[in-house]
């Protein structure tokens, strides 16, 4: 059975692509056959985050239009044999994707024996975002602990519950919350919404909390999914999220302030 | 956290953020799942109620809410003080 996971958020810049790349890589690292698709036609980014931008010859739109086969367009990851990237087109307009076209690509991937298809949604609630979520079994809603991001993600949750195939068939897309750029010290000071606050507002359970970390930018500079960074809290947090997505039960980490020594407590650190 | 931190004013903007969001989300969800007839229903209700009491336009709130498995049509009418007094007499 192929599982389709959409990574979505509504608001831009909250970490959808970073999350898509890390989740896809994490799943592949666990031996699963994974395809990660960039739905952001016109503004592709996933190829950069995955570090395969120079190997893009054909893209998602080419496949949808029958100008290239799926095999030609799928870019095999250099780190994991079972990980494949389908890049978005840079040049075409947003209407280049159609529901039928997307359905066919997803079906062909399923026939190829892929275990997971990760759909990296564009920001907004336009066609691209709609198509990215339409066929999803699960949705990872990426949220920053910040008012506009939380409000937008609630709009997305509304769409997931009404404008998806699952919803139309009377079912439900399984939704998960993933908090990014989380800063426990700021939460402690009352400057930032806590995990519980966001869960309360959205009525959703959290699958992962990614701490604010310079590793995310470092990883994207290098073209490496942050989950592969050594000794990184962000990487460990993504590992946990992937494990939970696969049904493992793991305690939440990096949501509390690290214990400080006596001196920094006394004199500020 | 230094020993003189208590001198700084305490801010808790996260609390404000949460209460604002709870309001917005409740409203957003009400609108999203709400049937189209709610605005018209609200206008007609105002007309009917105004036959008996004069209430301002914003005194009537109609929304659809979810209580567990049930959809509840929530209609609240706020009566002005004067009308209440007149009613008592």
């Amino acid at each position: 059975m192929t599982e389709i996971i959409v990574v979505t958020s509504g608001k831009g810049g909250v970490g959808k692509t970073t999350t898509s790349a890390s989740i896809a890589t994490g799943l592949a690292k666990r031996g699963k056959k994974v395809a990660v698709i960039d739905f952001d036609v016109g503004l592709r980014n996933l190829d950069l985050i995955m570090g395969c931008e120079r190997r893009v010859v054909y893209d998602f739109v080419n496949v949808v239009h029958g100008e290239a086969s799926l095999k030609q367009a799928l870019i095999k990851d250099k780190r994991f044999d079972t990980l494949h990237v389908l890049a978005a087109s840079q040049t075409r307009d947003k209407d280049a994707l159609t529901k039928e076209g997307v359905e066919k690509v997803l079906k062909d991937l399923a026939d190829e024996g892929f275990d997971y298809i990760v759909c990296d949604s564009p920001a907004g609630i336009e066609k691209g975002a709609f198509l990215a979520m339409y066929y999803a079994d699960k949705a990872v809603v990426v949220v920053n602990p910040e008012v506009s991001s939380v409000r937008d993600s609630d709009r997305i949750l509304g769409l997931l519950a009404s404008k998806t195939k699952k919803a139309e068939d009377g079912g439900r897309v399984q939704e998960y919350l993933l908090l990014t750029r989380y800063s426990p010290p700021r939460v402690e000071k009352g400057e930032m919404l806590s995990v519980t606050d966001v869960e309360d507002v959205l009525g959703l359970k959290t699958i992962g909390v990614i701490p604010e970390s310079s590793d995310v930018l470092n990883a994207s500079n290098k073209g490496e999914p942050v989950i592969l960074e050594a000794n990184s809290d962000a990487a460990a947090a993504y590992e946990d999220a992937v494990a939970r997505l696969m049904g493992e039960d793991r305690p939440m980490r990096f949501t509390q302030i690290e214990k400080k020594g006596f001196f920094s407590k006394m004199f500020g650190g | 956290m230094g020993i003189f931190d208590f001198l700084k004013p305490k801010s808790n903007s996260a609390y404000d953020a949460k209460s604002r969001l709870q309001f917005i989300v409740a409203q957003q969800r009400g609108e999203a799942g709400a049937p189209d007839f709610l605005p018209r229903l609200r206008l007609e209700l105002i007309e009917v109620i105004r036959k008996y009491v004069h209430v301002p336009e914003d005194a009537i709130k109609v929304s659809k809410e979810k209580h567990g498995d049930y959809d509840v049509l929530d209609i609240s009418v706020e009566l002005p003080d004067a009308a209440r007094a007149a009613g008592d007499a």
Side-chain angles (χ1 to χ4, degrees), chain A residues 147 150-151 154-155 189-193 197 200-202 264-266 268, chain B residues 1-3 11-15 17-18 20-22 24-25 28-29 32:
Chain A
V147 283
V150 176
R151 164 152 76 177
D154 182 63
R155 291 274 282 135
K189 280 190 210 147
E191 296 173 358
M192 186 183 266
L193 291 163
D197 287 340
D200 282 355
V201 169
L202 295 177
S264 53
K265 250 185 196 157
M266 286 299 285
Chain B
M1 257 185 279
I3 47 175
S11 79
N12 197 338
S13 58
Y15 178 80
K18 186 178 182 180
R20 286 170 68 209
L21 278 168
Q22 278 172 327
I24 294 165
V25 165
Q28 221 163 240
R29 290 186 180 180

Side-chain angles (χ1 to χ4, degrees), chain A residues 244-258:
Chain A
R244 291 188 199 105
L245 204 53
M246 290 180 67
E248 260 180 61
D249 199 14
R250 289 198 181 184
M252 224 31 107
R253 293 192 277 173
F254 317 113
T255 54
Q256 304 296 325
I257 286 190
E258 283 169 51

Side-chain angles (χ1 to χ4, degrees), chain B residues 2-88:
Chain B
I3 47 175
F4 297 115
D5 275 4
F6 69 91
L7 290 175
K8 291 182 203 159
K10 259 233 180 296
S11 79
N12 197 338
S13 58
Y15 178 80
D16 297 335
K18 186 178 182 180
S19 32
R20 286 170 68 209
L21 278 168
Q22 278 172 327
F23 180 81
I24 294 165
V25 165
Q27 200 181 29
Q28 221 163 240
R29 290 186 180 180
E31 283 166 12
D36 305 342
F37 63 76
L38 282 196
R40 266 182 300 132
L41 173 67
R42 194 175 152 274
L43 287 178
E44 282 181 40
L45 279 172
I46 292 178
E47 269 177 46
V48 174
I49 291 167
R50 277 190 179 162
K51 283 184 186 168
Y52 303 92
V53 209
H54 192 83
V55 291
E57 192 94 1
D58 59 357
I60 299 175
K61 291 193 178 66
V62 180
S63 61
K64 201 189 83 173
E65 286 175 11
K66 231 179 160 53
H67 293 181
D69 289 340
Y70 300 97
D71 284 338
V72 175
L73 186 63
D74 189 13
I75 300 172
S76 85
V77 183
E78 197 182 313
L79 292 176
D81 282 344
R84 215 174 287 154
D88 286 343

